[in-house]
């Protein structure tokens, strides 16, 4: 099939046709699309070219993001492009020391510079109950992190003061001119030493200790394997760095234009930090460049707002790359010690683990990441006895926080490495040992929670295994073979070994341990146009596209407009943990169904039947008996209908002091096969191919799912081989894109999707599961397994360094 | 300031001594953007079209303009002329960098991991520096080591490279498939007329290092009159020889009192623990072995 090159509308012809979802979309699309579709498909390629591609429509089809074209053309206004008349530029002074006492801050030199309008420090923020400047501590769970450091700095790059000036260079110079006298303290950078070190913060050094006791502690297996695993510090490294604009309001409040992914949460916390009522702070989400973690730290937003309030003028701040590396939270570096017991057939008997997460200087979401790490410490396997002790501790390292698959990723690398070790010890195929232990619906997780959602672990492994392997270079001597080391690199075919590794993993979705998940959405239909008002931020995951599809599906309207997000709308919660499809998507669906009821009821009443007997399909309202057939557009003419609905998934409970409890709403699974080539003399690794099978519940937009999987795999490959934000004695070594190596197109493997298993999760909205995190969780483990297979080296550390892959 | 000829550029620089000359700007503008450098003025060399090409001179020499971009050097016609330099230029970064980064800039920045530097060292190239007092010629190695540094007001105009009409190889170890800085690099050129092998190791020290004894020894192992064959064992030995000469002895590093033998005159990234030096030695040995193997294939 030759796909017509219709790039402007980005129609489904660009993708492979036999996707079940896109086939359905095609059918609907043909009906709703232009009537010019040729009656004779056999009319040949010419006719096909001439026919305009029907617009994809409804759930299961693959429309492109509405902002795809502006983003590709470079005309999309990002947060860094914001502008206001008469604006000032902000700059932040950061601590050069990982741990120090602030003796004094003298801003007089900075204020004396021409063009400087304000310098703010912790003293400008509301003081604590004792009347001392505390820098307005904040945090998503525990408020322990000051906006601007007061008294003590606890990590390098912690903001100490901020400046507003009429030119960005002046602002930077002025920030540098703020004289801060420090009394340097000994930093604690080894998480293992944090337990016994003096408290780095009044709250102590232990964020959380989570013991998990499941089964019989005395159970012993015939075979025992042990391992110690280490995961480095990955950074979300958003290409669009933190940027925003704050505008003071006449009522003494402030309006923040930022690329937040949690508008209401950020608004509430920012208001609290500023000592304002929440309704005097308005947050407008604008120009989100994409996110795989929390977009930005609150300190940035509050500082911006404070400068605007202090100067009475709009203030803009756009962080440079180094600033950006200091500003946002990173992935938790982890140390994991494991002992797996199995019987002689390879059935797992007991898993013992100690997990230590380095939370950095402030709490952020460490306790949540720790819960995931402990709960998924045994992986998607049936294990009758599990004993885990997990700790998250405070150090003077850069703070760790939320990043796709937090907690679950670190554990996945460790338990999958252990399974490979066990397979080698027993002489069993790595795939086979996973199949023997695979979890299924109804099995218990180590937290005592039964997996009630579909858990097609075995089917995922089968799908991955059934996919043919990529050809070996010897089979295709004519094609150019990209060696490890890249084109024109030092690769030598004689020293290249190929390795194949398998991994399967799981990740939870939505907030855990009793987090109240709720979202509100409004759907309004006015004539033929529908509007969705929902404060769920589309950070690249595709919520706006999905909301459009949902409304199209329920109401049969083609033209759906998604309103931009601000905090005047009801809250929809953060864009994280794969929750927006379920929670906000569910709210949009409910609201749309209410509108549909309003639409159908009078029609049904006219015909003397109940509205349940009417259906909307193919743009027509039809009755069960076929008597009625009215185009939706006709029914909607002149009408204005709207409804607001809320979606709140079933509640969860916190894990108790034995790590037991129904803490998770649902879990998603993913299986992967990685094929790598390793230059065993130089230790260069190239991931040739990654084959993925994922449990998606229901593919609502297959192409968007593929994009999510490719993104997750790329991020996982980055962590597995390249990305590590190194810190020496708490100081970042490589806060630049020269030093912090992001995967480029050449480092990225061919990603093949073996299967998107559509076993619907009955309690989830649409039966769909979150798709973004699972591939990122599993890919590092799969790549590590493949490197292990190629080299025979143990590979116990991520990222894999060249010296770990040299034979 | 945008001079159109080298002379104008020299004049412009003489008129504004604090000005910084800029060609591709890939290093300079990065420093400016990072706030590390705030030059009072710039002399843009991009309009000097004579420096963007090359010419031939008698005696089998090519005179390369300092404004040649990496992308231009990577093209096949240039590769037929000086294959080693073309190899280095092709690996010098992503296409955006190769399109603007220049040969002269690479020399002037003198980054330890600069890709063209070991090749120029192995080719024993010389640069022409033009200043208010006229032009002078300086070997690249003298310029890089600071033996004969650039004087104020001087501009790097031309790079004189001998045409050897024999295989040349540039290899670098990066640990990844995408473009990256070299952890170690090896340039190797054959000079059949003089029956010599010349080799330079980059990125392990602040300047490219030449393992002269290893070069002299290995050139005696090559069957110059025949098909330029060599015993595979000699290839391996050459690699070890080069690595031993260019990376300080790990044992000596472990004992800070001991002198570092060989050409290891710089602290190198190997200044860390002995294990790191051991790995670097191994990497250089593999690169040197492969480089000679490819050159003789």
């Amino acid at each position: 099939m030759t796909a017509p090159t219709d790039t402007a509308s980005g129609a489904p012809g660009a993708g492979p046709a036999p996707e079940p979802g896109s086939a359905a979309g095609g059918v609907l699309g043909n009906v709703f699309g232009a009537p010019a579709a040729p009656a004779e498909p056999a009319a040949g390629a010419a006719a096909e070219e001439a026919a305009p591609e029907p617009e994809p429509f409804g759930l299961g089809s693959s429309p492109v993001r509405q902002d795809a074209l502006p983003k590709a053309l470079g005309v999309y206004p990002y947060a860094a492009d914001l502008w206001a008349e008469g604006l000032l530029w902000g700059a932040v002074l950061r601590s050069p020391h990982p741990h120090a006492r602030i003796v004094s801050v003298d801003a007089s030199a900075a204020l004396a510079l021409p063009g400087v309008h304000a310098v703010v420090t912790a003293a400008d923020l509301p003081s604590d109950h004792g009347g001392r400047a505390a820098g307005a501590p904040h945090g998503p769970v525990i408020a322990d992190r000051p906006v601007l450091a007061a008294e003590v700095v606890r990590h390098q790059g912690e903001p100490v003061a901020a400046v507003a000036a009429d030119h960005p260079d002046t602002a930077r110079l002025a920030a540098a001119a703020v004289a801060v006298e420090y009394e340097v303290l000994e930093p604690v950078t080894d998480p293992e030493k944090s337990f016994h070190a003096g408290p780095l913060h009044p709250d102590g050094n232990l964020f959380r200790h989570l013991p998990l006791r499941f089964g019989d502690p005395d159970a012993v297996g015939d075979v025992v394997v042990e391992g110690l695993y280490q995961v480095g510090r990955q950074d979300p490294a958003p290409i669009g760095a933190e940027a925003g604009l704050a505008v003071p309001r006449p009522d003494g409040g402030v309006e923040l234009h930022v690329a937040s992914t949690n508008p209401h949460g950020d608004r509430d916390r920012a208001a609290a930090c500023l000592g304002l009522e929440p309704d005097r702070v308005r947050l407008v989400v604008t120009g989100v460049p994409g996110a795989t973690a929390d977009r930005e730290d609150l300190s940035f937003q509050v500082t911006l707002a404070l400068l605007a309030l202090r100067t009475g003028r709009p203030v803009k701040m756009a962080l440079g790359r180094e600033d950006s590396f200091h500003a946002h939270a990173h992935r938790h570096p982890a140390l994991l010690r494991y002992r797996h017991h199995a019987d002689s057939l390879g059935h797992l008997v007991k898993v013992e683990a100690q997990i230590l997460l380095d939370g950095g200087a402030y709490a952020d979401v460490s306790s949540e990441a720790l819960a995931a790490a402990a709960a998924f410490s045994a992986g998607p396997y049936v294990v009758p006895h599990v004993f885990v002790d997990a700790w998250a501790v405070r150090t003077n390292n850069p703070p760790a926080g939320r990043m796709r698959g937090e907690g679950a990723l670190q554990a996945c690398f460790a338990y999958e490495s252990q399974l490979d070790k066990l397979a080698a010890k027993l002489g069993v195929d790595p795939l086979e040992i996973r199949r023997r232990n695979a979890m299924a619906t109804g099995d218990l997780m180590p937290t005592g929670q039964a997996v009630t959602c579909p858990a097609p672990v075995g089917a995922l492994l089968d799908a991955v295994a059934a996919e043919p392997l990529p050809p070996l270079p010897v089979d295709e001597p004519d094609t150019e073979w990209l060696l490890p080391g890249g084109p024109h690199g030092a690769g030598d075919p004689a020293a290249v070994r190929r390795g194949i590794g398998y991994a399967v993993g799981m990740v939870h979705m939505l907030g855990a341990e009793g987090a109240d998940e709720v979202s509100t959405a409004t759907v309004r239909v006015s004539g033929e146009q529908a509007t969705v008002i929902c404060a769920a931020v589309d950070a690249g995951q595709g919520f706006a596209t999905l909301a459009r599809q949902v409304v199209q599906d329920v109401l049969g309207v083609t033209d759906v407009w998604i309103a931009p997000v601000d905090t005047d709308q009801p809250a929809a919660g953060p864009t994280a943990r794969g929750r927006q499809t379920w929670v906000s998507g569910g709210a949009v669906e409910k609201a749309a169904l209410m509108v549909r009821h309003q639409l159908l009821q009078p029609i049904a009443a006219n015909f003397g039947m109940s509205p349940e007997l009417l259906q909307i399909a193919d743009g027509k309202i039809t009755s069960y008996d076929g008597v009625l057939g009215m185009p939706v557009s006709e029914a909607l003419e002149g009408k204005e209908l709207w409804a607001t609905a809320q979606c709140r998934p079933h509640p969860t409970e916190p894990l108790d002091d034995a790590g037991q409890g129904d803490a998770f709403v649902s879990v998603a699974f993913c299986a992967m096969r990685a094929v790598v080539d390793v230059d065993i003399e130089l230790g260069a690794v190239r991931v040739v191919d990654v084959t993925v099978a994922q449990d998606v519940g229901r593919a609502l937009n297959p192409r968007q799912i593929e994009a999510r999987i490719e993104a997750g795999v790329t991020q996982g490959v980055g962590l597995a081989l390249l990305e590590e934000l190194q810190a020496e004695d708490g100081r970042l070594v490589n806060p630049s894109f020269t030093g912090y190596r992001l995967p480029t197109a050449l480092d990225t493997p061919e990603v093949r999707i073996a299967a998107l298993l559509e076993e619907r999760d009955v309690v989830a909205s649409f039966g769909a599961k979150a798709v973004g995190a699972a591939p990122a969780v599993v890919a590092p483990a799969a790549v590590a397994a493949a490197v292990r297979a190629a080299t025979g080296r143990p590979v116990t550390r991520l990222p894999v360094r060249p010296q770990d892959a040299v034979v | 300031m945008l001079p159109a000829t080298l002379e104008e550029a020299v004049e412009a620089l003489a008129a504004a001594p604090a000005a910084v000359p800029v060609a591709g700007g890939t290093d300079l503008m990065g420093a400016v953007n990072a706030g590390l450098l705030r030059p009072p003025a710039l002399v843009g060399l991009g309009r000097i079209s004579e420096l963007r090409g090359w010419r031939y001179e008698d005696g089998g020499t090519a005179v390369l303009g300092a404004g040649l971009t990496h992308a231009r050097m990577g093209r096949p016609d240039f590769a037929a002329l000086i294959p080693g330099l073309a190899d280095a230029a092709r690996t010098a970064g992503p296409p955006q960098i190769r399109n603007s980064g220049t040969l002269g800039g690479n020399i002037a920045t003198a980054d330890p991991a600069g890709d063209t530097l070991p090749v120029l060292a192995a080719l024993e190239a010389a640069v022409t520096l033009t200043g208010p007092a006229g032009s002078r010629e300086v070997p690249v190695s003298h310029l890089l080591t600071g033996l004969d540094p650039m004087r104020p007001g001087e501009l790097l105009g031309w790079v004189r490279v001998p045409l050897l009409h024999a295989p040349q190889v540039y290899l670098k170890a990066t640990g990844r498939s995408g473009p990256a800085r070299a952890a170690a690099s090896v340039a190797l050129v054959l000079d059949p007329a003089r029956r010599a092998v010349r080799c330079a190791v980059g990125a392990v020290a602040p300047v490219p290092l030449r393992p002269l004894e290893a070069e002299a020894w290995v050139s005696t192992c090559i069957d110059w009159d025949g098909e330029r064959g060599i015993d595979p064992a000699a290839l391996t030995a050459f690699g070890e020889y080069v690595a031993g000469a260019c990376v300080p002895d790990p044992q000596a590093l472990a004992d800070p009192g001991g002198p570092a033998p060989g050409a290891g005159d710089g602290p190198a990234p190997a200044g860390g623990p002995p294990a790191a030096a051991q790995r670097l030695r191994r990497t250089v040995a593999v690169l040197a072995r492969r480089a000679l193997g490819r050159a003789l294939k």
Side-chain angles (χ1 to χ4, degrees):
Chain A
M1 172 191 168
T2 47
T5 50
D6 183 353
T7 47
S9 73
E19 223 72 62
S22 60
V27 171
L28 289 171
N30 276 336
V31 175
F32 277 92
E40 280 288 318
E48 207 176 319
E49 298 269 332
E53 274 296 327
E55 185 80 9
F57 181 91
L59 293 176
S61 71
S62 296
V64 243
R65 308 173 54 89
Q66 298 234 302
D67 57 9
L69 192 64
K71 279 183 173 169
L73 291 175
V75 297
Y76 179 85
Y78 287 102
D81 303 321
L82 291 168
W83 191 260
E85 207 49 47
L87 60 71
L88 299 174
W89 293 82
V92 177
L93 172 69
R94 296 178 185 277
S95 162
H97 306 292
H99 193 198
R101 186 170 300 285
I102 298 175
V103 180
S104 66
V105 182
D106 179 9
S108 54
L111 279 167
L113 283 172
V116 173
H117 288 251
V119 178
V120 294
T121 62
D124 297 280
L125 288 156
S127 46
D128 66 1
H129 299 302
R132 294 194 309 168
H138 64 90
V141 187
I142 303 158
D144 68 343
R145 183 174 191 175
V147 169
L148 294 167
E151 296 182 19
V152 181
V153 287
R154 297 187 179 84
H155 67 93
Q156 190 208 9
E158 183 160 356
V160 177
V163 176
D166 51 15
H167 190 274
D169 285 350
T170 315
R172 267 201 296 264
L173 274 173
V178 176
V180 185
E181 191 186 332
Y182 295 100
E183 176 195 335
V184 177
L185 303 172
E186 189 60 32
V188 176
T189 55
D190 181 347
E192 288 182 285
K193 293 195 178 129
S194 164
F195 290 99
H196 304 296
L200 301 171
H201 188 278
D203 291 355
N205 288 357
L206 185 63
F207 292 132
R208 188 179 189 183
H209 171 217
L210 183 59
L212 192 151
R213 312 276 177 257
F214 180 72
D216 176 10
D218 299 323
V220 178
D222 303 332
V223 187
V224 177
V225 290
E226 294 188 39
L228 178 65
Y229 304 94
Q230 203 185 336
V231 180
R233 180 180 295 107
Q234 190 181 23
D235 189 271
I239 301 298
E242 289 79 353
L245 178 74
V247 184
R249 299 207 309 193
D251 65 351
V254 66
E255 199 168 275
L256 276 165
H257 296 256
V258 286
S260 167
T261 50
N262 183 5
H264 288 82
D266 284 353
R267 190 267 315 255
D268 292 350
R269 278 179 275 140
C273 289
L274 293 165
L276 293 171
E277 300 85 53
D279 60 2
R280 289 220 282 172
V281 178
R282 180 167 183 256
L283 198 148
V284 181
V285 177
T286 175
V288 184
T292 60
D294 277 345
R295 255 297 304 178
E296 55 211 19
D297 75 336
L298 198 69
S299 167
F300 171 83
Q301 298 174 3
V302 176
T303 315
L304 201 57
L306 188 61
L307 288 170
L309 287 170
R310 182 54 51 89
T311 57
R313 285 172 64 174
V315 178
K316 173 177 173 170
M317 194 148 56
L319 296 191
R321 189 50 60 191
E322 186 174 343
D323 261 348
S324 170
F325 272 108
H326 283 300
H328 54 244
H330 317 288
R331 191 185 285 293
H332 288 82
L335 208 56
L336 310 103
R337 193 193 306 274
Y338 264 75
R339 187 185 291 141
H340 273 60
H341 297 253
D343 67 13
S344 53
L345 289 171
H347 294 113
L348 292 171
V349 174
K350 186 163 87 166
V351 171
E352 296 168 274
Q354 293 177 317
I355 299 171
L356 176 59
L357 298 184
D358 176 358
Y362 294 107
D364 209 293
V365 293
S366 287
S367 57
E368 195 187 311
L370 191 74
F376 305 133
S377 54
Y381 303 111
V382 180
V383 189
H385 314 289
V386 180
F387 292 86
V388 181
D389 274 291
W391 299 270
V393 296
R394 190 191 304 273
T395 63
N396 291 120
N397 286 323
R402 197 187 301 292
M403 191 175 164
R404 204 134 75 172
E406 61 270 11
L409 180 144
Q410 290 91 333
C412 180
F413 168 57
Y415 61 69
E416 286 302 90
S417 299
Q418 283 286 95
L419 247 74
D420 281 349
K421 216 174 213 183
L422 192 62
K425 189 151 187 178
L426 288 163
V428 186
D429 181 56
L431 206 52
E432 182 52 34
I433 199 158
R434 288 178 168 86
R435 282 202 188 103
R436 278 182 202 170
N437 292 291
M439 181 182 266
T441 306
D443 287 329
L444 289 184
M445 293 199 287
T447 54
Q449 179 175 1
V451 178
T452 48
C453 67
V457 180
L460 291 173
L461 286 166
D462 292 341
V464 166
E467 194 73 9
L469 281 165
L472 281 167
V474 285
D475 301 332
E476 290 182 354
D478 295 336
T479 48
E480 185 119 332
W481 185 19
L482 185 60
L483 290 164
H488 312 290
D492 182 357
V496 172
R497 301 279 179 277
R498 179 160 282 194
I500 300 165
Y502 292 92
V504 51
M506 66 200 292
V507 63
H508 71 286
M509 49 188 113
L510 277 61
E513 296 196 272
D516 183 28
E517 288 292 9
V518 61
S519 177
T520 310
T522 301
V523 172
R524 199 174 67 211
V525 183
S526 165
E528 275 190 68
Q529 200 202 39
T531 305
V532 177
I533 301 164
C534 179
V537 176
D538 189 339
Q541 89 279 25
F543 178 76
T545 315
L546 181 75
R548 233 170 83 225
Q549 289 176 265
V550 171
V551 174
Q552 287 177 341
D553 209 60
V554 175
L555 294 174
V557 197
T558 316
D559 187 6
V560 184
W561 185 67
I562 311 295
V565 176
D566 63 51
T567 50
D568 294 346
Q569 300 159 0
T575 293
R577 317 174 207 111
R579 59 184 290 286
Q580 293 298 19
T581 298
W582 186 323
V583 188
S584 296
V588 170
E589 189 192 27
K590 271 191 194 172
L593 283 171
M594 285 157 76
V595 170
R596 176 186 146 118
H597 196 78
Q598 294 171 23
L599 172 67
L600 296 186
Q601 203 160 30
I603 301 168
N606 267 349
F607 284 79
M609 59 172 77
S610 120
E612 282 75 28
L613 296 174
L614 298 178
Q615 55 174 345
I616 299 180
D618 303 349
K620 273 189 183 151
I621 300 169
T622 48
S623 62
Y624 73 105
D625 53 7
V627 172
L628 176 75
M630 178 198 272
V632 175
S633 48
E634 193 184 316
L636 279 171
E637 209 177 322
K639 278 191 183 159
E640 170 124 6
L641 307 168
W642 66 272
T644 299
Q646 236 180 21
C647 178
R648 179 176 258 130
H650 56 269
T652 52
E653 57 188 37
L655 293 171
D656 64 17
D657 45 14
Q660 301 294 301
D662 289 351
F664 303 107
V665 179
S666 185
V667 284
F669 303 86
C670 179
M672 234 174 247
R673 178 184 67 198
V675 178
V676 303
D677 281 349
V678 184
D679 184 325
I680 57 164
E681 290 181 331
L682 293 175
V685 179
R686 187 175 93 82
V687 186
V688 177
D689 176 282
V690 170
T691 304
V692 187
Q694 191 163 336
D695 153 41
V696 298
R698 179 179 170 196
L700 300 173
N701 182 330
R703 188 155 64 178
Q704 222 158 248
I705 292 179
E706 283 169 34
R708 294 295 83 207
I709 290 176
E710 283 169 9
V713 168
T714 308
Q715 197 170 36
V717 167
L719 172 61
L721 298 176
L722 303 164
E723 295 181 44
E724 185 176 23
L725 192 61
Q726 296 157 346
E728 260 170 32
D729 296 329
R731 286 189 172 83
L732 292 185
V733 175
N734 53 345
S736 71
F737 278 159
T738 315
Y740 187 82
R741 308 194 297 170
L742 282 173
T744 64
L746 280 168
D747 300 295
T748 310
E750 174 102 350
V751 179
R752 285 190 289 161
I753 295 174
L756 299 177
L757 285 191
E758 297 192 72
E759 221 177 296
R760 295 193 184 188
D761 184 352
V762 286
V763 297
S765 305
F766 321 107
K769 289 187 178 184
V771 294
V777 163
V778 181
V783 172
V787 174
R788 212 175 279 134
T791 61
R793 296 282 306 268
V795 187
T796 56
R797 183 194 184 279
L798 291 181
V800 180
R801 296 163 301 184
Q803 63 258 39
D804 302 328
V806 167
V807 177
Chain B
M1 284 173 274
L2 286 168
T5 66
L6 194 53
E7 287 68 38
E8 281 178 39
V10 170
E11 279 166 28
L13 206 53
V20 177
V22 55
T26 52
D27 291 316
L28 181 81
M29 293 316 288
V32 169
N33 288 343
L36 301 174
L37 204 66
R38 183 52 41 107
L42 293 174
V43 176
L45 306 177
R47 295 266 174 91
I48 309 178
S49 44
E50 57 173 328
L51 291 186
R52 300 182 73 86
W54 67 86
R55 58 187 154 82
Y56 302 99
E57 268 186 13
D58 298 339
T61 307
V63 181
L64 313 178
L68 268 175
T69 61
H70 288 94
R72 182 67 192 90
M73 290 190 285
R75 295 236 283 269
D77 56 343
F78 189 89
L81 219 58
I82 311 168
L85 213 44
D87 270 2
R90 284 169 184 159
T91 63
Q96 297 91 325
I97 295 293
R98 295 202 302 271
N99 281 336
S100 59
T102 61
L103 177 63
N106 212 243
I107 301 171
T109 301
D111 188 290
D115 284 306
T116 61
L117 305 182
V119 184
L120 295 172
L123 286 167
E124 297 183 340
V127 297
T128 309
L129 300 174
T130 310
S135 294
R136 66 196 177 104
E137 193 142 303
V138 180
V140 166
S141 54
H142 289 194
L143 186 71
L144 293 177
T145 52
L147 212 60
D148 197 352
M150 261 169 108
R151 296 176 196 150
E154 278 189 333
L155 278 173
L156 203 161
W158 304 94
V159 184
R160 189 177 293 271
V161 178
L163 295 172
L164 299 174
H165 308 291
Q168 303 173 348
V169 181
Y170 173 77
L171 296 181
K172 73 177 189 184
T174 59
R176 69 185 288 181
S177 304
R181 279 170 73 87
S185 59
V186 168
L188 187 137
V189 304
L190 298 185
D191 189 348
R194 284 185 222 139
R195 302 202 165 193
V197 173
R198 294 207 294 274
C199 174
V201 180
V204 302
V207 295
L209 303 177
R210 289 278 304 276
L212 296 173
E213 289 175 27
E215 290 175 4
W217 170 75
V218 81
S219 56
T220 62
C221 300
I222 297 170
D223 164 26
W224 289 103
D225 298 317
E227 300 200 317
R228 290 195 198 138
I230 189 168
D231 182 4
L235 278 181
T236 313
F238 173 68
E240 302 291 337
Y241 205 159
V242 171
C246 296
V247 182
D249 187 4
Q251 252 55 52
L253 275 176
D255 168 23
D265 52 0
Q278 192 74 54
R279 286 195 299 273
L280 192 61
R281 271 200 166 193
R282 209 193 128 119
T283 303
V284 172
V286 170
L287 289 178
R289 190 194 74 212
R290 288 186 186 173
L292 186 59
R294 280 196 198 179
L296 295 176
K297 196 156 63 184

